[in-house]
Amino acid sequence: MQITLYTFPTNPAEYTSADLSRPETTCALFLAAAKLFDQDKDAGTAAMNALRGPRPMSGYDVQFLRDRLRGKSYLPLAYFDGATPQNGYTPTQPYTLQVLPDPRPQDVEPGYLRVYLKTTGADSPRPIKLRQKGNYWYLWEYSSILSGIRMPAAEDSWA
């Protein structure tokens, strides 16, 4: 599965009105919301809440996201095509995200879906888990996506 975004949503209303009927849309908007969060905590939190469905972010969730993105504004963009450590994780435009299927879907309970996102900043794809409500897919578990990746070459004194 793949999805292409021509622009990133810039305000929470765009996330609230997004069609989350395709899992790959939710994944791409999650990365865009993380980028927004890094720029504006309140708008980013509202965007994340829209993607989380009836389970809004707790104070702990907000702090977790803040901690993972601190000093790593490149992290959300690192999963889009063209982003590499050498180019500071600057993706090609339009923004295309490859969403890989779960190699072990039998391990996931009904109503949930685990997919994987690949980045050149890590040796293996990272899982993201979504939960279905009606015809829509909402964020459920995404901590692996926010785990550390190789730093951009320009910031790496060992590169």
Side-chain angles (χ1 to χ4, degrees):
M1 300 180 285
Q2 92 174 20
I3 182 164
T4 300
L5 299 177
Y6 293 92
T7 60
F8 290 136
T10 57
N11 65 65
E14 294 177 79
Y15 291 88
T16 303
S17 63
D19 178 6
L20 303 179
S21 60
R22 295 175 46 207
E24 57 269 28
T25 301
T26 305
C27 292
L29 290 179
F30 161 65
L31 296 171
K35 182 178 179 337
L36 179 61
F37 182 92
D38 190 54
Q39 298 165 344
D40 178 339
K41 304 293 185 254
D42 293 334
T45 298
M48 286 290 187
N49 284 337
L51 298 175
R52 289 171 58 104
R55 188 179 65 129
M57 292 180 75
S58 67
Y60 172 81
D61 294 324
V62 172
Q63 185 63 42
F64 178 83
L65 196 54
R66 186 176 317 158
D67 289 347
R68 293 303 181 271
L69 293 174
R70 185 176 291 126
K72 297 177 184 170
S73 59
Y74 56 85
L75 185 59
L77 299 178
Y79 291 90
F80 290 98
D81 287 358
T84 67
Q86 292 72 31
N87 69 11
Y89 294 109
T90 303
T92 54
Q93 293 185 14
Y95 305 101
T96 301
L97 180 68
Q98 306 296 327
V99 180
L100 307 174
D102 187 353
R104 298 191 50 82
Q106 67 273 18
D107 293 345
V108 179
E109 57 272 23
Y112 294 84
L113 176 69
R114 183 175 52 212
V115 293
Y116 288 79
L117 305 182
K118 186 170 176 42
T119 174
T120 57
D123 294 332
S124 59
R126 306 270 175 91
I128 183 169
K129 193 173 184 180
L130 307 173
R131 184 170 183 180
Q132 189 174 28
K133 181 172 180 169
N135 293 325
Y136 300 105
W137 292 98
Y138 295 101
L139 290 174
W140 191 254
E141 211 302 302
Y142 46 83
S143 62
S144 293
I145 301 298
L146 300 172
S147 295
I149 60 173
R150 290 178 194 92
M151 66 177 60
E155 295 177 25
D156 186 358
S157 59
W158 292 95

